[in-house]
Amino acid sequence: MQGWILYKRKMDELTERDHGVNRLLSAAADLQIELKVYTPSQLNIIVLSGASSVLLDDKPVALPDFIIPRLGAETSSHAFALIRHLELQGVYSANSATFSSASPAYT
């Protein structure tokens, strides 16, 4: 099983202050789940003639089984679009783009 955490920092930029994300990574490793951390700016959506794909650092990437958005108030419109696109492609999201965008902080 493979998952992505969408976060404000890349995996190699995490520090001890990113305790929540580090804890998720540790728990995933214990459960033999491959979990990676990406920023929304690392990911792009490409839609051509009805077919779509996601690029990671400008290279096609297989979709994960699930995503965990951990962006909070830093969630951009690009991040919402990315989360929604992944949901529409059948990727489970721990925090739905619909729910997150309906938050009072974004209205």
Side-chain angles (χ1 to χ4, degrees), residues 9-21:
R9 284 189 265 288
K10 297 178 184 178
M11 194 159 187
D12 61 354
E13 297 172 341
L14 296 175
T15 68
E16 62 188 34
R17 295 185 71 193
D18 301 303
H19 175 74
V21 172

Side-chain angles (χ1 to χ4, degrees), residues 83-94:
I83 295 165
R84 184 68 181 138
H85 177 77
L86 291 170
E87 288 174 337
L88 291 171
Q89 295 301 308
V91 176
Y92 173 79
S93 176

